Amino acid sequence: MVSITGTPYGLLLSGIFIDLITLMIAGFSRLFGFSFGKKYEDKAEFEVSVIIPAYNEESNIKKVIESAFNQTIPPKKVIVIDDNSTDKTYEVCEGLQEKYKGLIVFKQKKNKGKAYNITYALNNYSLSEITLVLDADTFMSNTYIQEIIKPFVNNRVVMTTGVTTLVKPNNFSGKIIFYGSDFQYRFFCFRKQAQSYRNALSVLCGDSAAYRTSFLKKMGGFPQGTETEDMDLTWIALEKKYRVVFQKKAYAKSIDASTFKGHWNQINRWYRGYFQNFYRHGKDLLKAKPLLFTTIIPSYFDSFLYAITFLLAPIFLFIYPTFAIWFYIADLTFTLAAIIYLDAREIRHLPQIYIIKFLWSVIWFNAALKTIKDILKGKTYWGGGWDRSSFHKKKNA
């Protein structure tokens, strides 16, 4: 969440600290021949169906479909569910059906949202043993399916997720967002590896995740009560004692918001979904104790302490200057250490990283207050359709 670079106090409760210890234990166990942190290197043989929910993606959908079919292990079929787009998404898909015989295209008569459309495809089409859900702005590497299906050799694995990095936009604000948030996402993938070892993954990458189809059918499809159905389903799986696995060799690229308004809306939705899921799952989370006590609670602890300190530190400079200075030093040290670990060349983008850190801290509080307000008003359902109107910079007419 917000404090991806840690917080200088409460270290033993910090999610960062827990993840680092997990990775150290996993490394030492492999060094001495133990099985902690199992690698899935065996060749997996599963048929795969791909579902692509799409809304107003005429500029991306062709390349996305091509990436789905251009795999070392091609899918048996690719199903595009056009959610009543107002552009030419449906027509572009229709034009590709002659080239790709396994391509199925359907257009909804009313906009319903991602979760509804995935469930629609699940209930109306014959799917393979593994179902991969691919966002209509996400492009898979040609070995993605080959890598993402490997953990399914374990019958307890019902969901897998890979590494998604960002496509760099061309506009000025988009580049600031890209350099700042791409660092956040890549560091979160580092943490996902640790969470995967504990079977305590906070959320899979819903833009390109794979699912055991029988599990999806057993669950009745995707839950539709929150703004982050991928997180909702992840927590349900862990509460039912299934395994959710992160595969670091499965790579995809996604188009992120290229405007600050679009980025705000996107991150705000993710954070709101986090709070919504915590409220809706409630005591059921006790059924997934590794998730609750080693991922969720430490994440809330980190995010609250970091966000409030980060935002109030300028004021603390006048009231408690020693504390504020040490906070800035500690935060900069953690941030630089994370940058150097991931890619030392990215130090030149430190200003953009701090812009996004500030923005995400503000959004975290905004999302928390908005969700609390909703709950106090009696709201318990947050599902709905798509709104990508602010996602990208509008082109000049």
Side-chain angles (χ1 to χ4, degrees):
M1 302 298 286
V2 172
S3 65
I4 63 156
T5 52
T7 180
Y9 35 79
L11 188 60
L12 292 177
L13 294 177
S14 169
I16 297 289
F17 181 75
I18 293 171
D19 289 343
L20 288 173
I21 292 297
T22 302
L23 292 171
M24 288 174 62
I25 293 173
F28 280 118
S29 70
R30 288 197 298 272
L31 183 64
F32 293 103
F34 297 109
S35 60
F36 182 84
K38 178 177 175 58
K39 289 186 176 181
Y40 297 95
E41 299 294 349
D42 296 334
K43 183 178 180 181
E45 296 182 2
F46 297 101
E47 284 191 345
V48 177
S49 295
V50 177
I51 299 174
I52 306 177
Y55 178 67
N56 287 353
E57 292 286 357
E58 66 172 301
S59 60
N60 300 316
I61 194 66
K62 181 176 183 291
K63 186 177 177 182
V64 172
I65 291 172
E66 289 172 345
S67 82
F69 279 106
N70 185 30
Q71 293 287 311
T72 53
I73 298 180
K76 186 175 182 181
K77 64 181 70 172
V78 173
I79 304 167
V80 178
I81 305 295
D82 183 335
D83 200 19
N84 195 32
S85 295
T86 57
D87 65 1
K88 296 182 179 180
T89 297
Y90 181 75
E91 289 77 8
V92 173
C93 294
E94 270 194 320
L96 293 171
Q97 285 185 297
E98 184 175 347
K99 180 178 180 181
Y100 299 111
K101 302 303 180 184
L103 177 61
I104 300 169
V105 187
F106 177 81
K107 184 167 185 173
Q108 299 283 15
K109 294 181 179 179
K110 187 176 180 181
N111 184 271
K112 294 284 190 177
K114 179 179 177 179
Y116 178 90
N117 284 289
I118 296 168
T119 304
Y120 179 89
L122 186 70
N123 292 333
N124 289 276
Y125 296 96
S126 176
L127 301 177
S128 305
E129 188 175 359
I130 305 300
T131 297
L132 192 150
V133 177
L134 183 65
D135 279 2
D137 58 2
T138 301
F139 319 105
M140 298 184 292
S141 63
N142 66 349
T143 59
Y144 193 88
I145 290 180
Q146 175 184 322
E147 296 295 337
I148 205 71
I149 64 175
K150 287 181 178 180
F152 288 106
V153 296
N154 180 342
N155 291 329
R156 297 302 299 170
V157 174
V158 295
M159 303 163 67
T160 60
T161 184
V163 176
T164 301
T165 55
L166 304 179
V167 176
K168 185 168 70 173
N170 294 320
N171 61 308
F172 179 73
S173 61
K175 289 178 182 179
I176 293 175
I177 295 167
F178 169 80
Y179 288 120
S181 57
D182 186 58
F183 165 73
Q184 304 270 44
Y185 297 155
R186 287 189 291 119
F187 194 87
F188 190 38
C189 285
F190 167 78
R191 298 192 63 184
K192 277 185 177 181
Q193 184 68 72
Q195 294 172 6
S196 180
Y197 288 153
R198 302 193 304 267
N199 198 31
L201 200 68
S202 60
V203 60
L204 46 66
C205 290
D207 57 23
S208 53
Y211 308 84
R212 197 178 295 275
T213 305
S214 58
F215 168 75
L216 289 181
K217 288 183 176 292
K218 186 177 180 180
M219 296 299 103
F222 268 54
Q224 299 178 45
T226 72
E227 294 179 84
T228 50
E229 66 287 328
D230 45 4
M231 179 179 288
D232 198 349
L233 192 59
T234 301
W235 292 11
I236 290 172
L238 295 176
E239 289 163 2
K240 294 183 177 298
K241 310 301 182 185
Y242 292 110
R243 290 198 63 83
V244 179
V245 176
F246 171 73
Q247 279 291 83
K248 64 181 181 181
K249 291 184 179 180
Y251 295 99
K253 280 188 172 291
S254 183
I255 297 176
D256 200 21
S258 61
T259 67
F260 280 106
K261 182 179 179 180
H263 188 71
W264 173 283
N265 290 339
Q266 176 176 286
I267 303 303
N268 199 30
R269 178 178 66 83
W270 289 351
Y271 282 158
R272 287 199 309 264
Y274 200 70
F275 292 112
Q276 292 161 12
N277 276 293
F278 190 77
Y279 172 74
R280 284 173 62 90
H281 282 253
K283 63 181 181 180
D284 284 342
L285 285 167
L286 290 170
K287 300 174 185 177
K289 289 181 175 61
L291 171 67
L292 178 61
F293 293 112
T294 74
T295 297
I296 295 177
I297 291 178
S299 176
Y300 276 106
F301 176 84
D302 276 2
S303 297
F304 176 76
L305 289 181
Y306 181 83
I308 194 169
T309 307
F310 187 81
L311 294 176
L312 295 180
I315 298 175
F316 289 153
L317 275 172
F318 298 97
I319 304 174
Y320 304 108
T322 302
F323 170 80
I325 291 170
W326 276 109
F327 172 80
Y328 281 128
I329 292 172
D331 184 66
L332 180 61
T333 301
F334 283 125
T335 302
L336 290 174
I339 294 173
I340 291 170
Y341 176 82
L342 294 171
D343 186 349
R345 294 172 298 179
E346 297 304 308
I347 288 179
R348 66 185 185 274
H349 298 303
L350 190 64
Q352 293 97 319
I353 290 170
Y354 265 89
I355 288 172
I356 295 301
K357 279 157 66 76
F358 172 80
L359 186 63
W360 285 23
S361 295
V362 175
I363 294 174
W364 191 89
F365 276 106
N366 179 78
L369 292 173
K370 176 67 166 60
T371 308
I372 291 171
K373 183 179 178 181
D374 285 346
I375 293 169
L376 291 176
K377 288 184 175 180
K379 186 173 183 177
T380 59
Y381 184 91
W382 290 273
W386 310 58
D387 181 9
R388 296 168 62 85
S389 58
S390 62
F391 203 68
H392 298 298
K393 183 179 183 295
K394 293 182 180 180
K395 296 179 179 179
N396 295 325

